Amino acid sequence: MHQKKDILTIIIPLKGRDYATKRILDQMSSDKVPFKVLLADGSGEDKSHLFSSLQYPILDLVYINFGKDNTVNDFMNKLHRVTSLVDTPFTVLIDNDDIVSLEGLHFATNFLSNNEEYVSFRGALLERGTNKNYHSSKCSIIHNTIFDRVSTDLIGKDAAWQDVTRTSVIKKLYELLFKSRTEDLMLTFTIDSSFRLIYGKNHRDFDQPLVYHISGDSLVFGRSDWFGYKGWFKSPHINDSLGLYVSTISNAISKKDGIPLEIAKKEFSEFLVGDICDNSVIDVSKKDKVVTAIDMSNKYDSLVNTILWE
């Protein structure tokens, strides 16, 4: 396979688990991964003596110490800052407890390079050792309108974290999440897939492994602020999160699908809140949450429109 150093950047956010970082870098070195690699460290400790191009000369590797991620917004700031450094057309975020498939990354970048209407590519996310696929929704998202794309793949299905995606979209996503000042970890995962679908279609090919996950040491699951989709209404940030979600998708629908903003907000908030309520372990008033989502969305409209279309 030919070199593609200037087409894809692999971002690996870090916070501890040095053994896992060493493992994935050793694997990428062994496979001679030709893509750019950015390590975005939020541990608060400078690990450049462990993870730099001096230790891994075969990789196009840059380590950056961003200080300590004390809050969710610190994490979003780190992702905003590191994605702003990317100069390749495609980006993928990989956890350090994953192992990448070089063949899968080549396949994904080739597909996106030849299909401009697609914004992202999702391959199989397999558990190492069992080959269980963590992704459940196998159908590509190919609808022509934003509402149809987003409503087909609404939250609670699969995260888009490891999707190979056009860099311009990733930059906007983390700029929005940082500047919104959100402290809701659930929001950062749930809005992820929907946001990408604003800009195009999502191709899925689960015959093509993209990432192998090594389970057992998650930095997310088990946190006190990780409520899961079913328990999202427990979050103290839920009303602000609904507002940002509704503002983001509704303004995109209004501009690109030609639907008046007021109608777009009503229809999307009813769909969004309805889906959360249907899956929630918390009993809430659907009608009240729809009203709250619309009311809270108004304060985000200016920020959303500045970032979506800049």
Side-chain angles (χ1 to χ4, degrees):
M1 292 184 176
H2 58 283
Q3 297 283 308
K4 288 194 172 182
K5 185 168 290 189
D6 296 324
I7 199 167
L8 174 70
T9 298
I10 300 170
I11 295 176
I12 308 177
L14 303 179
K15 193 173 185 181
R17 302 190 302 193
D18 292 350
Y19 68 91
T21 304
K22 182 179 185 303
R23 180 178 59 208
I24 190 173
L25 293 179
D26 286 346
Q27 175 257 326
M28 289 197 292
S29 291
S30 177
D31 289 348
K32 297 181 174 59
V33 170
F35 307 115
K36 295 182 179 181
V37 181
L38 288 176
L39 300 181
D41 196 351
S43 68
E45 300 179 49
D46 188 346
K47 302 290 181 67
S48 58
H49 62 290
L50 298 175
F51 309 122
S52 73
S53 57
L54 293 177
Q55 288 76 36
Y56 298 93
I58 205 166
L59 298 177
D60 187 347
L61 175 67
V62 175
Y63 169 92
I64 306 172
N65 175 17
F66 285 99
K68 190 171 184 178
D69 294 344
N70 290 308
T71 67
V72 171
N73 197 243
D74 288 342
F75 182 34
M76 294 301 102
N77 184 25
K78 178 178 74 176
L79 293 180
H80 169 46
R81 290 167 65 190
V82 73
T83 55
S84 70
L85 301 175
V86 177
D87 59 3
T88 56
F90 307 118
T91 300
V92 63
L93 283 88
I94 302 291
D95 292 317
N96 64 350
D97 59 351
D98 294 331
I99 296 293
V100 300
S101 165
L102 179 56
E103 180 182 359
L105 294 176
H106 278 296
F107 191 95
T109 55
N110 284 335
F111 179 89
L112 291 174
S113 296
N114 292 309
N115 294 275
E116 292 185 359
E117 71 273 25
Y118 287 84
V119 70
S120 57
F121 177 98
R122 179 174 301 173
L125 171 59
L126 302 178
E127 182 178 51
R128 192 179 188 189
T130 68
N131 279 350
K132 179 187 76 173
N133 191 359
Y134 286 96
H135 290 314
S136 58
S137 182
K138 297 181 179 180
C139 296
S140 296
I141 307 300
I142 61 174
H143 306 285
N144 291 321
T145 68
I146 294 171
F147 185 89
D148 287 342
R149 290 197 295 270
V150 171
S151 61
T152 298
D153 195 47
L154 200 56
I155 52 183
K157 306 259 177 78
D158 295 318
W161 180 267
Q162 289 104 341
D163 289 6
V164 178
T165 303
R166 297 188 186 276
T167 298
S168 59
V169 176
I170 293 291
K171 289 183 176 183
K172 291 176 186 291
L173 170 63
Y174 290 113
E175 180 183 4
L176 176 64
L177 288 172
F178 166 59
K179 291 184 176 179
S180 71
R181 300 181 179 178
T182 184
E183 289 293 346
D184 190 346
L185 187 63
M186 273 300 303
L187 175 70
T188 68
F189 282 87
T190 53
I191 200 173
D192 189 348
S193 180
S194 297
F195 188 92
R196 300 178 198 223
L197 293 172
I198 290 173
Y199 296 96
K201 303 173 182 179
N202 171 242
H203 183 71
R204 300 177 182 185
D205 185 347
F206 291 168
D207 291 329
Q208 179 60 66
L210 197 64
V211 175
Y212 294 89
H213 178 67
I214 301 173
S215 60
D217 192 15
S218 174
L219 293 179
V220 173
F221 301 114
R223 286 174 52 126
S224 60
D225 55 355
W226 178 259
F227 300 96
Y229 186 48
K230 294 181 180 296
W232 197 11
F233 282 132
K234 295 179 182 178
S235 169
H237 310 290
I238 184 62
N239 290 338
D240 275 308
S241 295
L242 290 175
L244 180 58
Y245 207 138
V246 168
S247 176
T248 302
I249 304 304
S250 299
N251 275 283
I253 290 171
S254 179
K255 184 175 180 65
K256 294 299 184 180
D257 294 350
I259 299 174
L261 182 59
E262 183 178 349
I263 295 174
K265 285 190 174 186
K266 180 177 184 298
E267 292 182 350
F268 182 69
S269 62
E270 288 177 347
F271 190 87
L272 173 66
V273 171
D275 191 73
I276 300 174
C277 285
D278 290 344
N279 289 278
S280 181
V281 296
I282 310 298
D283 187 23
V284 300
S285 167
K286 186 181 298 187
K287 181 178 179 180
D288 289 346
K289 282 297 182 186
V290 168
V291 172
T292 298
I294 294 173
D295 287 345
M296 295 297 290
S297 72
N298 296 326
K299 74 174 185 177
Y300 291 110
D301 287 344
S302 178
L303 174 66
V304 164
N305 279 302
T306 298
I307 293 173
L308 288 188
W309 317 120
E310 65 182 359

Coordinates of all heavy atoms in Angstrom, one line a residue, residues 2-10 34-36 86-91 105-106 108-110 112-113 164-165 167:
H2 N 0.4 2.3 -0.7 CA 1.3 3.5 -0.8 C 1.1 4.4 0.4 O 0.1 4.3 1.2 CB 0.9 4.3 -2.1 CG -0.6 4.7 -2.1 ND1 -1.6 3.8 -2.4 CD2 -1.2 5.9 -1.9 CE1 -2.7 4.4 -2.4 NE2 -2.5 5.7 -2.1
Q3 N 2.1 5.2 0.6 CA 2.1 6.1 1.7 C 1.0 7.2 1.6 O 0.7 7.7 0.6 CB 3.5 6.8 1.8 CG 4.6 5.9 2.0 CD 4.7 5.4 3.5 OE1 4.7 6.2 4.4 NE2 4.8 4.1 3.7
K4 N 0.4 7.5 2.8 CA -0.6 8.5 2.8 C -0.4 9.5 4.0 O -1.4 9.8 4.7 CB -2.0 7.9 2.9 CG -2.4 7.2 1.6 CD -3.9 6.9 1.6 CE -4.4 6.3 0.3 NZ -5.8 6.0 0.3
K5 N 0.8 9.9 4.2 CA 1.1 10.8 5.3 C 0.3 12.0 5.4 O 0.0 12.6 6.5 CB 2.6 11.1 5.3 CG 3.1 11.8 6.6 CD 4.6 11.8 6.7 CE 5.1 10.5 7.0 NZ 6.6 10.5 7.3
D6 N -0.1 12.6 4.2 CA -0.7 13.9 4.2 C -2.2 13.8 4.0 O -2.9 14.8 3.7 CB -0.1 14.7 3.0 CG 1.3 15.0 3.3 OD1 1.7 15.2 4.4 OD2 2.1 15.0 2.3
I7 N -2.8 12.6 4.2 CA -4.3 12.5 4.0 C -5.0 12.3 5.3 O -6.2 12.6 5.4 CB -4.6 11.4 3.0 CG1 -6.0 11.6 2.5 CG2 -4.4 10.0 3.6 CD1 -6.3 10.7 1.2
L8 N -4.4 11.7 6.4 CA -5.1 11.4 7.6 C -4.3 11.7 8.8 O -3.1 11.4 8.8 CB -5.5 9.9 7.6 CG -6.1 9.3 8.9 CD1 -7.5 9.8 9.1 CD2 -6.1 7.8 8.9
T9 N -5.0 12.2 9.8 CA -4.3 12.4 11.1 C -5.1 11.6 12.2 O -6.3 11.6 12.3 CB -4.4 13.9 11.6 OG1 -3.6 14.7 10.7 CG2 -3.8 14.1 13.0
I10 N -4.3 10.8 12.9 CA -4.8 10.0 14.0 C -4.6 10.8 15.3 O -3.5 11.1 15.7 CB -4.1 8.6 14.1 CG1 -4.3 7.8 12.8 CG2 -4.7 7.9 15.3 CD1 -3.4 6.6 12.8
P34 N 1.6 5.1 8.3 CA 2.2 6.2 7.6 C 1.5 7.6 7.9 O 2.0 8.6 7.5 CB 2.0 5.9 6.1 CG 0.7 5.1 6.1 CD 0.7 4.3 7.4
F35 N 0.4 7.5 8.6 CA -0.4 8.7 8.8 C 0.2 9.5 10.0 O 1.0 9.0 10.8 CB -1.8 8.3 9.2 CG -2.4 7.4 8.1 CD1 -2.8 6.1 8.4 CD2 -2.6 7.9 6.8 CE1 -3.4 5.3 7.5 CE2 -3.2 7.0 5.9 CZ -3.6 5.8 6.2
K36 N -0.2 10.8 10.0 CA 0.2 11.7 11.1 C -0.5 11.2 12.4 O -1.6 10.9 12.4 CB -0.1 13.1 10.8 CG 0.7 13.7 9.6 CD 0.4 15.1 9.3 CE 1.2 15.6 8.1 NZ 0.9 17.0 7.9
V86 N -4.7 20.2 13.0 CA -4.7 19.2 11.9 C -4.7 19.9 10.5 O -5.5 20.8 10.3 CB -5.9 18.2 12.1 CG1 -6.0 17.2 10.9 CG2 -5.9 17.5 13.4
D87 N -3.9 19.4 9.6 CA -3.8 19.9 8.3 C -4.0 18.9 7.2 O -3.8 19.1 6.0 CB -2.5 20.6 8.1 CG -1.3 19.7 8.2 OD1 -1.5 18.5 8.5 OD2 -0.1 20.2 8.1
T88 N -4.6 17.7 7.6 CA -4.9 16.7 6.6 C -6.4 16.7 6.4 O -7.2 17.2 7.2 CB -4.5 15.3 7.2 OG1 -5.1 15.1 8.5 CG2 -3.0 15.2 7.3
P89 N -6.9 16.2 5.3 CA -8.3 16.3 5.0 C -9.2 15.4 5.9 O -10.4 15.7 6.0 CB -8.4 15.9 3.5 CG -7.2 15.1 3.2 CD -6.1 15.7 4.1
F90 N -8.6 14.3 6.4 CA -9.4 13.4 7.3 C -8.8 13.3 8.6 O -7.5 13.3 8.8 CB -9.5 12.1 6.6 CG -10.0 12.1 5.2 CD1 -9.2 11.7 4.1 CD2 -11.3 12.7 4.9 CE1 -9.7 11.8 2.8 CE2 -11.8 12.7 3.6 CZ -11.0 12.3 2.5
T91 N -9.6 13.0 9.6 CA -9.2 12.8 11.0 C -9.9 11.6 11.6 O -11.1 11.4 11.3 CB -9.5 14.1 11.8 OG1 -8.8 15.2 11.3 CG2 -9.1 13.9 13.3
L105 N -7.9 1.8 7.8 CA -7.7 3.2 7.7 C -7.4 3.6 6.2 O -7.9 4.6 5.7 CB -6.5 3.7 8.6 CG -6.8 3.6 10.1 CD1 -5.5 4.0 10.8 CD2 -7.9 4.4 10.5
H106 N -6.6 2.7 5.5 CA -6.4 3.0 4.1 C -7.8 2.9 3.3 O -8.1 3.7 2.5 CB -5.5 1.9 3.5 CG -4.0 2.3 3.7 ND1 -3.4 3.4 3.2 CD2 -3.1 1.6 4.4 CE1 -2.2 3.4 3.5 NE2 -1.9 2.4 4.3
A108 N -10.8 3.3 4.5 CA -11.7 4.5 4.8 C -11.3 5.7 4.1 O -12.1 6.4 3.5 CB -11.7 4.7 6.3
T109 N -10.0 6.1 4.0 CA -9.6 7.3 3.4 C -9.7 7.2 1.9 O -10.1 8.2 1.2 CB -8.1 7.6 3.7 OG1 -7.3 6.5 3.4 CG2 -7.9 7.9 5.2
N110 N -9.5 6.0 1.3 CA -9.8 5.8 -0.1 C -11.3 6.1 -0.4 O -11.6 6.7 -1.4 CB -9.4 4.4 -0.6 CG -7.9 4.3 -0.7 OD1 -7.2 5.3 -0.9 ND2 -7.4 3.1 -0.6
L112 N -13.6 7.8 1.3 CA -14.0 9.2 1.4 C -13.4 10.1 0.3 O -14.0 11.1 -0.1 CB -13.6 9.7 2.8 CG -14.3 9.1 4.0 CD1 -13.8 9.6 5.3 CD2 -15.8 9.5 3.9
S113 N -12.2 9.8 -0.1 CA -11.5 10.6 -1.2 C -12.3 10.5 -2.5 O -12.3 11.4 -3.3 CB -10.1 10.1 -1.4 OG -9.3 10.3 -0.3
V164 N -13.7 7.7 10.7 CA -12.9 8.5 10.0 C -13.7 9.6 9.3 O -14.7 9.3 8.7 CB -12.1 7.7 8.9 CG1 -11.2 8.6 8.0 CG2 -11.3 6.6 9.5
T165 N -13.4 10.9 9.6 CA -14.3 12.0 9.3 C -13.5 13.1 8.6 O -12.3 13.3 8.9 CB -15.0 12.5 10.6 OG1 -15.6 11.4 11.2 CG2 -16.0 13.6 10.3
T167 N -12.0 16.5 8.2 CA -11.4 17.3 9.3 C -12.1 18.6 9.6 O -12.3 19.0 10.7 CB -9.9 17.6 9.0 OG1 -9.2 16.4 8.9 CG2 -9.3 18.5 10.1

